Amino acid sequence: MSKRFEGQIAIVTGGGGGIGSAIAKRLASEGGVVIVTDSNLEGATEVARDITQSGGRAEALQADISQGAECRRLVAEVLKRHTRIDVLVNNAGIMRRGNIMDISEDDWNITFAVNIDAMFHLCRAVIPGMIAQGGGAIVNTASQWGLHPAPNHIAYNVSKAAVASFTQNLGRDCAPHKIRVNGVCPGEVHTPMLEAGVKRSGRTMADLDRLVPFGRVGKPEEIAALVAFLASDEAPYMCGSLVEITGAQAVA
Ligand SMILES: NC(=O)c1ccc[n+]([C@@H]2O[C@H](COP(=O)([O-])OP(=O)(O)OC[C@H]3O[C@@H](n4cnc5c(N)ncnc54)[C@H](O)[C@@H]3O)[C@@H](O)[C@H]2O)c1
């Protein structure tokens, strides 16, 4: 495995979850010191422990990033410990099902707080340091559904469309500072979030696999490989880009 993140400090939000844990492990396996942050401290701690046990460097930090103050506290704590942040992966996200009439106001609000407002707060806290150090990389997890909406997920889809636009805007504004901002738009990926959705819909994982031309849904490690590429110096001219990773699946 190459060591593209040797000497770098990386924050991964939602690092205790399916895709976030794969991203944290990938960045650590390539030499990064990874701050695994999640509202679920137990999940984050387990991931940080796995990384440490396999010879990598990671620290678990709890933060509820739906709160702006928590985002600022998280970044301040990382800067206190490590003095710099090279990579920010805004991966945490939640999915609340429902069309405009079904979804509750609370579900609408929390979806936006976690999926997009947190990126605003975390980027504002991280970017001044990246400017001072001469650059950095930010990778945001949007979704294929933010570009091509699936039915009955209006809050999720609109929040992910906002992530896509936020990524393009931030990429454009930060490019002169050599801060590269890019986004990934996964189709369905086998994680706890997907399993919960499948259970609610009455379908099985095999049903989902059959809907993908590639023959199966994605694996967290496949998203992690793309995130690592975008965050690394191997993508020096990628900025403001959105990359779909879907196994050629069209949204049905
Ligand atoms: N799984 C998929 O099919 C899929 C497809 C496209 C995009 N995505 C996106 O990928 C990202 C990761 O999803 P996943 O499938 O790994 O989900 P997951 O549920 O396994 O992980 C999400 C993590 O975010 C954390 N989190 C939720 N609210 C938080 C908060 N307020 N503060 C801090 N952490 C919080 C959760 O505790 C969890 O560990 C999300 O942004 C999701 O929208 C997932």
Side-chain angles (χ1 to χ4, degrees), residues 13-21 37-40 63-67 90-95 110 114-115 119 141-145 156 160 184-194:
T13 71
I19 296 173
S21 59
T37 182
D38 206 294
S39 50
N40 169 11
D64 173 1
I65 60 167
S66 67
Q67 308 294 319
N90 284 310
N91 160 81
I94 58 170
M95 177 188 275
I110 190 67
V114 177
N115 291 6
M119 292 193 190
T141 305
S143 167
Q144 187 194 21
W145 293 8
Y156 182 79
K160 292 298 189 178
V184 296
C185 304
E188 281 157 349
V189 183
H190 197 158
T191 68
M193 177 187 278
L194 187 67

Side-chain angles (χ1 to χ4, degrees), residues 71-121:
C71 294
R72 290 186 285 277
R73 181 188 62 77
L74 169 68
V75 171
E77 178 61 29
V78 177
L79 288 173
K80 197 170 100 191
R81 292 184 188 189
H82 298 285
T83 70
R84 61 185 289 129
I85 294 161
D86 300 283
V87 175
L88 169 64
V89 181
N90 284 310
N91 160 81
I94 58 170
M95 177 188 275
R96 297 285 190 267
R97 197 182 168 84
N99 64 28
I100 187 125
M101 300 314 294
D102 300 334
I103 193 146
S104 70
E105 212 173 312
D106 283 351
D107 277 351
W108 178 269
N109 289 334
I110 190 67
T111 300
F112 280 82
V114 177
N115 291 6
I116 178 71
D117 295 351
M119 292 193 190
F120 168 79
H121 295 299

Side-chain angles (χ1 to χ4, degrees), residues 1 3 21 28 31 35 48 51 55 82 84 89 91 95 134 140 143 150 155 170 178 189 204 213 218 220 226 249:
M1 185 70 76
K3 293 284 181 190
S21 59
I35 313 305
I51 290 173
H82 298 285
R84 61 185 289 129
V89 181
N91 160 81
M95 177 188 275
N140 299 326
S143 167
L170 197 65
K178 302 292 179 281
V189 183
T204 64
L226 174 60
Q249 185 183 18

